Amino acid sequence: MFRVEKFLPNECPKCRHHFLKEGEDYVRLFGDIIDGRKILRETTGYDIIICDKCKNCTARVMIEAYHVSDRTKAEALFREGFINLQPVESFGSHIEDAHEIFTEIPGLRVRSLKL
């Protein structure tokens, strides 16, 4: 299975480095260390990512994601503007193709391909 995502911003606001792949271009901030203990950061509707080039922290808003079984479909979505093409392992009911819409921003048209 393969997963592609669409989120805003798709580049670092400070250095304009494109966020194409998690772990290479950016990493997610899962928590903070407070008084020597790791505390999970709870956010609603966004998460924090750190640019790998300039270490700038940015709030990321997920728009939509596809979870597809065929690599050619995932690559077609990647060419249509989706990013973070990642192979994933799926089990149980998660082995079917899926389309997730996280948020709809007024004036933003969500384009998708027929699956």
Side-chain angles (χ1 to χ4, degrees), residues 64-103:
E64 64 179 320
Y66 277 95
H67 191 87
V68 293
S69 58
D70 187 17
R71 185 172 180 87
T72 57
K73 287 181 186 177
E75 289 172 349
L77 289 166
F78 190 77
R79 286 190 297 275
E80 289 290 321
F82 284 82
I83 52 181
N84 196 23
L85 174 60
Q86 297 278 340
V88 294
E89 291 185 24
S90 298
F91 302 96
S93 63
H94 296 288
I95 61 170
E96 297 177 5
D97 291 357
H99 179 212
E100 301 170 85
I101 297 178
F102 297 99
T103 185

Side-chain angles (χ1 to χ4, degrees), residues 7-20 25-27 49-60 83:
F7 57 82
L8 290 175
N10 58 4
E11 65 182 11
C12 177
K14 185 176 179 183
C15 70
R16 299 294 184 211
H17 180 71
H18 288 280
F19 298 138
L20 296 178
D25 299 314
Y26 67 93
V27 294
I49 58 175
I50 302 169
C51 176
D52 194 48
K53 186 175 178 186
C54 70
K55 307 301 183 213
N56 184 48
C57 294
T58 304
R60 172 179 80 161
I83 52 181

